[in-house]
Amino acid sequence: MMKVLAFGTSNSRKSINQKLARYAATQINNAIDNVDIILLDIHDLEMPIFSEEREKESGIPAFAHDFYQAIGEADAVVISFAEYNGSYTSAYKNLFDWASRIDMKVYQNKPMIMLATSPGPSGAQSVLAAAKGSAPFFAADVKGALSLANFFDNYDVEAEQVTDEAFNEQLNEIISQL
């Protein structure tokens, strides 16, 4: 059985990136037999802001270990990056920083699909480019990176489906590389 870990990098309970990550994981499940989807909500993994002093005083928080272990137990990872002010969300950056103290190779050479979306026309392309550019330093085997612009125009909330056919074709091409 193939285990696919999927999550958005926003700690919002209404995260559109969480919806996109779930959608992509569902598409993997439709394309590949015997898939177990593990949906992670980083809202549930909040911890103190990383600092070397906190690490020396209290060690690495259990949630950072849980996150690192979830990646390690997965056969593939789907991340959909939310963009705050042109960069990573503070919730994800903090979680990632803590996990990197366990091992800089946070992504553990897992095959990965990187996604991003936003309500506007940029589709969070800035943060997606940053994530893809830094991926080799953190041992990510990126199979593809894809942005969905204008989320609310291209996603049917009731059907939980992306309606942009070009996006779906590109996503299916990336999935075929897993």
Side-chain angles (χ1 to χ4, degrees):
M1 177 171 294
M2 179 183 200
K3 284 184 164 184
V4 176
L5 177 67
F7 62 95
T9 66
S10 170
N11 62 345
S12 169
R13 292 284 187 199
K14 298 178 181 180
S15 170
I16 59 177
N17 280 281
Q18 187 74 3
K19 290 179 188 340
L20 186 60
R22 181 184 311 118
Y23 172 76
T26 301
Q27 297 309 106
I28 294 169
N29 190 40
N30 293 340
I32 300 172
D33 289 334
N34 212 13
V35 173
D36 182 19
I37 299 170
I38 298 101
L39 295 173
L40 181 71
D41 185 342
I42 70 167
H43 182 274
D44 298 330
L45 301 176
E46 289 188 14
M47 61 192 99
I49 294 172
F50 171 78
S51 73
E52 289 183 11
E53 291 81 14
R54 280 195 180 104
E55 182 182 9
K56 286 177 185 166
E57 291 168 6
S58 305
I60 298 170
F63 285 152
H65 287 281
D66 294 346
F67 177 68
Y68 184 82
Q69 183 177 347
I71 293 170
E73 291 174 352
D75 296 307
V77 179
V78 175
I79 303 177
S80 188
F81 290 93
E83 185 173 283
Y84 289 6
N85 298 317
S87 190
Y88 298 100
T89 66
S90 55
Y92 180 70
K93 182 72 170 83
N94 190 52
L95 177 59
F96 184 87
D97 288 345
W98 275 114
S100 74
R101 301 301 284 188
I102 298 165
D103 186 340
M104 283 297 292
K105 296 178 180 185
V106 174
Y107 298 128
Q108 304 170 57
N109 297 305
K110 299 298 177 170
M112 181 176 293
I113 297 173
M114 289 185 165
L115 304 169
T117 192
S118 71
S122 75
Q125 289 182 31
S126 294
V127 71
L128 185 59
K132 187 178 176 190
S134 68
F137 301 106
F138 303 107
D141 178 12
V142 180
K143 298 301 182 186
L146 190 56
S147 169
L148 179 65
N150 303 306
F151 180 80
F152 295 104
D153 295 335
N154 292 302
Y155 186 84
D156 182 331
V157 176
E158 285 186 24
E160 298 182 335
Q161 288 278 108
V162 171
T163 57
D164 181 315
E165 287 309 313
F167 178 92
N168 285 326
E169 287 175 20
Q170 290 176 303
L171 179 59
N172 286 331
E173 177 60 34
I174 295 168
I175 290 169
S176 73
Q177 297 175 43
L178 290 178

